[in-house]
């Protein structure tokens, strides 16, 4: 029997990248899946891949920072599938200041607020809303963090790194509250993954390509010698969402970065200079 047979999963940010790959993997392995994101067209593409494989899908188009969208996610999942077993808090973004001279700590605080809204507040709110249902099903939560939140610094990703560091601590603290009720929470911390993430964050096409090529071709940055794929991360998320496979892992974050976090600080300084 498939490992997620009979399970119901909500995967946020499943119109693209890591979230899409996760929804597809959980679905392929037996789960019914609620997918969500703002981009209708890309959401439909995820839905089509899932339905072609015979997966039951619930589609919620909307902005995850809005309370109504979060409510619709929970309510429509319960209405269509009757329960929630797995919540993957994957939707996230990094934003550049519209003024390109403002980087790092000079980036506007409105950008900080936007970063916190999508990466932190929406995650907290969705956990609050799903918690009673996950207690009922004895379910799992997997949050998506990043290596940019760790002790090494990634220059110019200050606000994003701060937001994800909050997710790391949220995972550690809340996992203890939840495990008392039989619910597990863990997270993954990806390194550089080949998705539209950099473009979505406001980096122009040329700079995004430069960054991708720089990372992928430099073993000083990524010892594995390649960018990660969405599937690399999805497999780890699925492992943490699988009670059978990972039942004794609680409140942890698994790093998936090809070894990058062991070398990233010096490399990021060099990269910042290269980009000017
Ligand atoms: P993508 O840009 O490909 O995907 C981001 C997803 O989040 C999209 O589906 C997007 O949907 C959704 N999203 C963003 N903002 C909102 C919003 N306000 N409301 C609803 N949905 C939203 O990037 P990735 O797949 O790479 O990113 C997924 C996660 O992985 C993020 O949390 C990111 O921080 C994290 N991560 C990524 C890394 C990388 O190198 N790619 C490295 C480390 C962590 P839509 O646009 O349709 O709204």
């Amino acid at each position: 029997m498939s490992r997620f047979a009979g399970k119901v999963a909500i995967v946020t940010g499943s119109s693209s990248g890591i979230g899409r790959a996760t929804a597809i993997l959980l679905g392929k392995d037996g789960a019914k899946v609620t997918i969500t994101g703002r981009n209708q067209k890309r959401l439909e593409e995820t839905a089509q891949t899932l339905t072609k494989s015979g997966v039951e899908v619930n589609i919620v188009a909307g902005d995850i920072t809005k309370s109504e969208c979060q409510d619709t996610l929970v309510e429509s999942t319960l209405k269509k599938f009757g329960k929630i077993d797995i919540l993957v808090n994957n939707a996230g973004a990094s934003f550049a200041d519209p003024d390109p001279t403002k980087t790092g700590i000079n980036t506007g605080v409105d950008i900080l607020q936007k970063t916190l809204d999508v990466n932190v507040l929406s995650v907290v709110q969705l956990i609050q809303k799903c918690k009673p249902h996950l207690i009922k099903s004895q379910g799992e939560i997997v949050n998506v963090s990043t290596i940019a939140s760790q002790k090494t610094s990634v220059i110019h990703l200050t606000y994003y790194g701060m937001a994800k560091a909050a997710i790391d601590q949220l995972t550690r603290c809340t996992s203890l509250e939840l495990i008392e009720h039989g619910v597990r929470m863990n997270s993954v911390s990806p390194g550089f993954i080949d998705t539209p993430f950099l473009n979505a964050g406001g980096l122009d096409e040329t700079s995004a390509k430069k960054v991708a090529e720089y990372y992928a071709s430099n073993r000083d940055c990524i010892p594995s010698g390649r960018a990660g794929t969405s599937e690399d991360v999805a497999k780890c998320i699925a492992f943490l969402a699988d009670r059978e496979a990972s039942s004794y892992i609680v409140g942890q974050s698994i790093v998936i970065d090809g070894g990058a976090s062991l070398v990233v600080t010096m490399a990021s300084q060099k990269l910042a200079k290269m980009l000017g």
Side-chain angles (χ1 to χ4, degrees):
M1 192 159 70
S2 306
R3 61 178 162 162
F4 296 117
K7 301 286 183 191
V8 174
I10 296 176
V11 182
T12 69
S14 33
S15 55
S16 177
I18 295 167
R20 174 183 280 174
T22 302
I24 291 170
L25 180 57
L26 296 180
K28 196 180 107 227
D29 285 356
K32 295 171 187 168
V33 191
T34 291
I35 58 171
T36 182
R38 292 160 303 178
N39 188 305
Q40 283 268 11
K41 188 173 166 282
R42 290 205 304 257
L43 209 50
E44 273 305 324
E45 286 165 8
T46 308
Q48 273 175 21
T49 309
L50 285 163
T51 43
K52 264 190 207 152
S53 319
V55 180
E56 283 185 62
V57 192
N58 177 39
I59 308 170
V60 178
D63 185 336
I64 197 73
T65 66
K66 305 280 183 242
S67 188
E68 312 81 69
C69 174
Q70 300 156 9
D71 291 339
T72 308
L73 261 181
V74 175
E75 283 158 19
S76 67
T77 303
L78 292 172
K79 191 163 178 229
K80 186 154 183 176
F81 300 137
K83 60 174 183 160
I84 302 167
D85 297 291
I86 298 164
L87 169 65
V88 180
N89 286 310
N90 164 77
S94 166
F95 304 98
D97 196 294
D99 176 350
T101 64
K102 290 187 175 171
T103 58
I105 194 60
N106 295 320
T107 307
V109 287
D110 54 325
I111 302 292
L112 173 59
Q113 187 60 60
K114 223 168 124 176
T115 308
L116 293 173
D117 284 346
V118 66
N119 293 291
V120 184
L121 271 76
S122 73
V123 174
V124 170
Q125 287 169 297
L126 201 54
I127 291 169
Q128 288 174 342
K129 289 172 185 182
C130 288
K131 185 180 160 191
H133 309 291
L134 288 164
I135 291 174
K136 211 168 162 192
S137 66
Q138 298 289 281
E140 332 285 330
I141 300 175
V142 183
N143 298 321
V144 178
S145 182
T146 169
I147 57 168
S149 67
Q150 298 192 336
K151 279 189 179 171
T152 46
S153 125
V154 181
I155 199 160
H156 296 339
L157 277 184
T158 315
Y159 295 165
Y160 173 70
M162 285 163 60
K164 291 293 195 179
I167 288 297
D168 294 344
Q169 193 63 353
L170 173 81
T171 303
R172 285 186 284 264
C173 296
T174 313
S175 65
L176 292 188
E177 271 181 59
L178 293 176
I179 200 65
E180 273 189 51
H181 302 283
V183 176
R184 279 188 320 136
M185 179 192 279
N186 287 291
S187 75
V188 294
S189 294
F192 183 64
I193 311 298
D194 189 7
T195 71
F197 179 77
L198 292 175
N199 289 121
L203 208 60
D204 64 69
E205 196 89 359
T206 318
S207 301
K209 208 165 160 235
K210 258 190 191 175
V211 173
E213 280 167 7
Y214 178 85
Y215 279 142
S217 63
N218 262 292
R219 282 187 191 263
D220 285 346
C221 293
I222 306 177
S224 293
R226 68 169 176 90
T229 64
S230 294
E231 289 73 22
D232 287 328
V233 184
K235 282 179 203 160
C236 197
I237 293 173
F239 167 70
L240 291 173
D242 179 356
R243 182 66 64 112
E244 185 73 21
S246 61
S247 64
Y248 209 49
I249 302 179
V250 174
Q252 300 300 311
S253 186
I254 298 184
V255 172
I256 314 153
D257 70 348
S261 51
L262 304 174
V263 292
V264 83
T265 308
M266 291 183 73
S268 69
Q269 293 283 358
K270 200 169 154 191
L271 177 64
K273 282 201 186 103
M274 186 190 86
L275 290 173

